[in-house]
C-alpha cells in the first residue's frame, strides 16, 4: 500500500502541469503518458489489499468481507490493466470496463469495512477500532456518492468545461479509502506481533 501512495505522490508531482488534481481524475494519468506507472500503482494497492484479505480470512474464516475485499482487489486490477478513455473521446469497451472496475472497487470497500465491524465476540481484533472503521466506511460511501454525482453531472453537461471538481472529490475518496484500509490492517499487524 505504501508503494501505491509513493507512486500517487510521484504522479502528482511529475505530471501536475498536464493533469489538474482539481479537475481531472487519477485515471487520466494514463492519457498523460504514465499508463505503466498508473498500472503499477493500482496493482500495488491490489497486492496490499490482497494481503489484508488473507489476514481477514484467517481471522474471521469466511463471510462476505473477504468476498467484498476480493471485489475491491479485482476492481483495482481492472483499473490498472484496462486503459481509460481519453477525456472527450468516444466511449469504448475498455473505457467502460475501466470505469466499471473503479465503481466496483469503490462500492465494495466501504461495505467490507462496515460488515467487518459488526458486533462479534470479544476477541475480534477490529473491535477497538470499530467506530473509526465505521466512520471511514460511511465517509467513503458518501464521498463515492459525490464522485458519482459529479461524474454524472459532467457527462450530462459536457466534459469540455467542467464546473465541478471531480478530480478533487476523487482524491478525497482515494485518501479516505487508504485511511480505511490502514485502519483495517493495523489490528492484524498488532495481533501478529503478539
Amino acid at each position: 500500500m505504501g508503494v501505491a501512495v509513493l507512486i500517487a505522490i510521484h504522479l502528482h508531482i511529475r505530471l501536475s502541469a498536464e493533469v489538474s488534481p482539481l479537475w481531472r481524475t487519477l485515471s487520466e494519468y494514463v492519457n498523460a503518458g504514465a499508463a505503466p506507472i498508473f498500472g503499477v500503482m493500482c496493482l500495488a494497492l491490489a497486492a496490499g489489499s490482497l494481503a489484508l484479505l488473507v489476514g481477514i480470512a484467517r481471522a474471521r474464516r469466511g463471510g462476505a468481507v473477504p468476498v467484498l475485499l476480493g471485489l475491491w482487489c479485482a476492481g483495482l486490477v481492472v483499473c490498472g490493466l484496462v486503459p481509460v478513455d481519453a477525456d472527450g473521446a468516444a466511449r469504448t469497451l475498455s473505457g467502460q470496463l475501466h470505469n466499471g472496475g473503479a465503481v466496483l472497487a469503490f462500492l465494495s470497500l466501504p461495505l467490507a469495512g462496515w460488515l467487518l465491524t459488526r458486533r462479534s465476540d470479544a476477541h475480534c481484533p477490529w473491535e477497538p477500532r470499530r467506530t473509526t472503521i465505521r466512520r471511514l466506511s460511511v465517509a467513503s460511501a458518501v464521498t463515492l456518492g459525490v464522485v458519482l454525482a459529479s461524474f454524472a453531472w459532467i457527462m450530462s453537461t459536457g466534459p469540455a468545461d467542467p464546473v465541478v471538481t471531480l478530480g478533487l472529490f476523487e482524491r478525497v475518496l482515494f485518501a479516505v479509502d487508504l485511511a480505511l484500509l490502514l485502519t483495517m490492517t493495523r489490528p492484524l499487524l498488532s495481533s501478529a506481533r503478539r
Side-chain angles (χ1 to χ4, degrees):
M1 290 182 203
V3 170
V5 171
L6 290 174
I7 292 172
I9 292 168
H10 169 75
L11 288 171
H12 280 80
I13 294 169
R14 185 177 138 213
L15 297 171
S16 61
E18 287 117 43
V19 179
S20 167
L22 286 178
W23 305 105
R24 302 293 173 213
T25 65
L26 289 165
S27 296
E28 292 183 47
Y29 287 117
V30 169
N31 299 317
I37 298 171
F38 178 82
V40 170
M41 179 188 75
C42 291
L43 295 176
L45 188 55
S49 299
L50 185 61
L52 172 62
L53 186 157
V54 169
I56 287 174
R58 286 183 181 164
R60 295 185 61 104
R61 297 187 183 94
V65 174
V67 172
L68 289 164
L69 282 174
L71 292 173
W72 158 258
C73 292
L76 289 172
V77 168
V78 169
C79 287
L81 298 179
V82 179
V84 69
D85 293 324
D87 190 35
R91 296 287 161 208
T92 64
L93 178 59
S94 70
Q96 294 299 331
L97 284 172
H98 180 95
N99 291 341
V103 171
L104 175 68
F106 289 122
L107 281 173
S108 300
L109 185 61
L111 188 53
W114 186 265
L115 293 177
L116 180 68
T117 55
R118 286 182 297 190
R119 293 274 180 213
S120 59
D121 61 66
H123 298 92
C124 176
W126 293 277
E127 190 58 35
R129 301 212 181 333
R130 181 179 192 276
T131 302
T132 303
I133 292 171
R134 286 231 155 173
R135 286 179 180 164
L136 287 168
S137 296
V138 169
S140 176
V142 168
T143 309
L144 176 62
V146 171
V147 167
L148 293 176
S150 300
F151 185 76
W153 174 265
I154 289 170
M155 289 296 102
S156 67
T157 60
D161 189 25
V163 294
V164 293
T165 56
L166 179 60
L168 177 63
F169 297 150
E170 189 192 58
R171 282 160 179 81
V172 169
L173 175 61
F174 187 69
V176 168
D177 284 349
L178 282 172
L180 176 57
L181 285 167
L182 293 174
T183 305
M184 292 165 67
T185 302
R186 189 162 178 201
L188 289 174
L189 296 174
S190 299
S191 62
R193 289 181 191 139
R194 290 180 196 148

